[in-house]
Amino acid sequence: MGARFPDSLSLGMAPLVLGAPAPAVLAPRGRQIAELLAGRSPRGRMPAVTSPTRLRAALFAAIPEAIAGYAVDDLEAKAPDWAFGSRPLGPALALVALVAYAGIVVFEALPPFLAMILVVAAQTLFLVMAIFRVGAVFVGVPTVPPPIASPLSDRDLPTYTVLVALYREARVVPRLVSALARLDYPAAKLDLKFVVEADDAGTIAALAEVPLPARFEVIAVPDGRPRTKPRALNVALPLARGELLVVYDAEDVPDPGQLRLAAEIFARAPARTACLQGRLVIDNAEDSWIARCFAIEYAGLFDVLNPALAQWRLPMPLGGTSMHVRTEVLRKLHGWDARNVTEDADLGMRLACAGYEVGDLPSATIEEAPNNLPAWLHQRVRWMKGFLQTTVTYGRRPAETCRQLGRLDALCAVTLLPGAVASALVYPIFLVWAGADFLLQEIPAAPEPWPNLPLAVAITLFLAGSAALVLPAALGCIRRGWWDLLWFVPGMLLYFALVSVAAWLAVIEFVRAPSRWNKTEHGLSRTSRSGLLRPRRPAA
């Protein structure tokens, strides 16, 4: 069978070998079925007929290597400037180290005035990052979905594809199926796909034990490397039937009305609004101190910073879940980068570079945070490493990226991606340094204003940086009604010291294993504020 992926599935037809009783096998849909019944064949000679599901199964059995290769290499083949790529990092990293060393040598030899200018410039970059976060506090955003005057009827709602990539997730399968079965959306317009690795026997067995409604489908991804979530999603993307698409994680419990609300917003938004980011809410904050800090951090990010970025129409590193997108746009951008371990941040940048905007979706998705330090660190190292990958991808041609984004958008992207990693790397050093200088020693003042500039900016940066860490987190807790967690917000200054540890480990892992996916285990929560993270029996 001379079939090709994804072309054969898109056409619903695959050629058969010479000498076969029919020239091709056809998986008809809609009008094609009526034409066949009327005796009209697309090739003039009656093809063999099968169902779309059987055609897909035959294709996956016949050409698994080609499907796995497509999932990994399609983006790099069609848009290499948007792909992290498979090229070795050694020469580039050696060049960066050489340039950094040369920069230190040159800096030491500079006249004091020029050295002061460079120091102030670096301080200003970090200050801009803090300003973005502090400024978000002053942006009013809805905490609950606004009422819709004339909602879309069921007939007018678009078909919606829901993708959930699963790997070693047997523990949460029943709860996940129950959560998705409760989505308030016409069943005939739901296309729900569980995407599993073909050798993940535990998850496949757990799915087989659950009585899945007809709108659910299980897709087994052929074996391939790197084994990442975006690679699995790329296999499923050509199979998506929906005009709109959302990605959920295995542990998610989305609000039942989330798809309807997203469809309403997309229907009223301009075409350039290609994506909506939902609000991720940590529900197991009482499990441990690390889960509590994680919940506070997410409240600041998804209830304060991201909605503000959406209102400002600035680039946004997307969340890996509750990310709703127009399917046509996602295909136009060639799906996800299979080698990037924060495919969400990468896609947010790609959307911005292509001229699209991300909107805010004021609808909650309940999430489970890692409840112990090793698991948290494992996950955070992956996130920081992915930020580095995304920085490398779009930093290869900085002038072109800046031209595509515009100056303000480019500045925002720098502060949110490489700026986030850089600030995490130096945070504990500057915290100790500033504390020693400002609290334990007398601050000297020069008789002229210019020599005092670095110190003045440093004090401003210290205060603004502290406010940037605390204020969004506090406001996020207030917006969520988490008054009991407000007492722990000042402790975020110490929590971010752990983020620094993750950043340093991420740098090491970036060099040694740039595309290795650090798996986060789910279904381990001991508490649940909403009660939604408790195991539930699946609904039919």
Side-chain angles (χ1 to χ4, degrees):
M1 182 171 70
R4 296 177 60 186
F5 183 87
D7 303 340
S8 296
L9 293 179
S10 301
L11 294 172
M13 177 184 291
L16 294 175
V17 295
L18 290 175
V25 58
L26 178 67
R29 291 182 184 273
R31 184 176 298 178
Q32 285 182 320
I33 297 175
E35 291 178 350
L36 284 174
L37 292 174
R40 293 191 294 272
S41 168
R43 295 228 183 151
R45 183 177 163 209
M46 184 61 70
V49 178
T50 187
S51 68
T53 300
R54 288 184 178 274
L55 176 61
R56 190 201 78 208
L59 203 67
F60 274 54
I63 54 171
E65 295 84 2
I67 294 172
Y70 167 88
V72 174
D73 299 324
D74 186 62
L75 174 63
E76 187 173 7
K78 295 178 179 175
D81 290 342
W82 285 346
F84 178 65
S86 55
R87 67 199 85 176
L89 293 172
L93 293 174
L95 179 61
V96 169
L98 181 62
V99 170
Y101 177 74
I104 293 172
V105 172
V106 170
F107 179 79
E108 292 292 334
L110 285 175
F113 182 75
L114 289 179
M116 179 194 70
I117 295 233
L118 287 178
V119 169
V120 171
Q123 290 173 324
T124 302
L125 182 61
F126 285 107
L127 185 60
V128 168
M129 182 176 177
I131 289 172
F132 273 113
R133 296 181 65 90
V134 173
V137 173
F138 299 97
V139 177
V141 295
T143 55
V144 295
I148 298 172
S150 54
L152 296 173
S153 66
D154 286 3
R155 183 183 62 183
D156 295 330
L157 286 171
T159 303
Y160 224 116
T161 292
V162 177
L163 296 184
V164 187
L166 303 171
Y167 182 56
R168 300 203 313 258
E169 298 286 8
R171 188 184 293 111
V172 298
V173 161
R175 186 179 75 201
L176 173 64
V177 175
S178 293
L180 297 182
R182 291 196 303 274
L183 289 172
D184 176 22
Y185 209 80
K189 294 189 173 184
L190 268 179
D191 172 34
L192 298 107
K193 300 183 187 299
F194 295 122
V195 190
V196 301
E197 298 290 339
D199 61 355
D200 186 4
T203 303
I204 293 174
L207 287 168
E209 292 176 2
V210 177
L212 294 177
R215 58 190 179 277
F216 288 82
E217 183 179 13
V218 179
I219 299 172
V221 177
D223 186 37
R225 295 293 181 275
R227 177 164 289 188
T228 60
K229 173 183 172 182
R231 184 187 80 94
L233 293 175
N234 281 339
V235 171
L237 179 59
L239 311 177
R241 295 188 288 107
E243 300 166 49
L244 301 177
L245 180 149
V246 62
V247 176
Y248 289 127
D249 280 345
E251 81 277 20
D252 285 353
V253 182
D255 181 89
Q258 188 171 115
L259 300 191
R260 278 187 183 271
L261 178 61
E264 296 280 357
I265 294 176
F266 273 124
R268 290 161 173 76
R272 67 176 179 272
T273 301
C275 182
L276 300 175
Q277 177 59 60
R279 309 279 183 87
L280 306 185
V281 181
I282 298 301
D283 199 48
N284 61 322
E286 302 306 318
D287 272 13
S288 63
W289 67 272
I290 198 75
R292 185 180 298 115
C293 290
F294 199 109
I296 295 171
E297 179 188 17
Y298 258 37
L301 177 60
F302 287 99
D303 287 315
V304 179
L305 180 60
N306 279 358
L309 293 174
Q311 283 208 16
W312 293 332
R313 297 181 178 179
L314 292 175
M316 181 192 306
L318 299 170
T321 176
S322 299
M323 181 277 299
H324 300 250
V325 66
R326 300 185 195 268
T327 309
E328 181 184 0
V329 171
L330 186 56
R331 287 176 174 153
K332 181 180 177 181
L333 298 183
H334 313 297
W336 293 269
D337 189 342
R339 293 186 174 89
N340 193 309
V341 297
T342 51
E343 78 293 339
D344 40 13
D346 171 77
L347 183 58
M349 276 295 298
R350 206 177 331 148
L351 285 166
C353 287
Y356 294 105
E357 295 176 357
V358 178
D360 174 42
L361 179 62
S363 176
T365 296
I366 297 299
E367 284 243 305
E368 175 187 349
N371 57 12
N372 60 78
L373 182 57
W376 177 90
L377 195 60
H378 205 55
Q379 183 187 69
R380 193 56 59 106
V381 167
R382 171 165 59 84
W383 291 359
M384 287 291 176
K385 182 174 67 173
F387 281 11
L388 288 171
Q389 289 179 306
T390 306
T391 299
V392 168
T393 300
Y394 297 94
R396 294 192 191 107
R397 302 173 65 190
E400 177 64 15
T401 299
C402 187
R403 184 194 66 79
Q404 291 173 341
L405 292 175
R407 294 179 182 176
L408 181 59
D409 287 30
L411 180 61
C412 178
V414 167
T415 63
L416 293 175
L417 291 171
V421 179
S423 62
L425 291 173
V426 302
Y427 173 76
I429 300 171
F430 281 5
L431 185 65
V432 173
W433 188 3
D437 281 351
F438 301 156
L439 302 179
L440 303 179
Q441 299 181 18
E442 182 179 353
I443 300 176
E448 298 179 0
W450 285 110
N452 290 318
L453 184 60
L455 180 60
V457 176
I459 294 174
T460 304
L461 179 59
F462 176 75
L463 297 175
S466 300
L469 295 179
V470 170
L471 292 182
L475 180 58
C477 289
I478 292 171
R479 286 178 175 173
R480 281 281 148 207
W482 292 348
W483 303 101
D484 57 321
L485 295 187
L486 274 176
W487 301 101
F488 298 95
V489 169
M492 298 301 289
L493 295 173
L494 297 178
Y495 171 76
F496 280 103
L498 291 176
V499 177
S500 178
V501 175
W504 283 104
L505 292 175
V507 171
I508 297 171
E509 193 170 292
F510 178 73
V511 176
R512 300 182 60 185
S515 293
R516 185 174 67 196
W517 186 276
N518 295 338
K519 163 70 179 165
T520 303
E521 298 296 331
H522 300 123
L524 303 176
S525 61
R526 297 187 297 270
T527 64
S528 175
R529 282 179 170 253
S530 66
L532 295 174
L533 290 188
R534 295 172 187 148
R536 290 176 179 267
R537 299 183 64 84

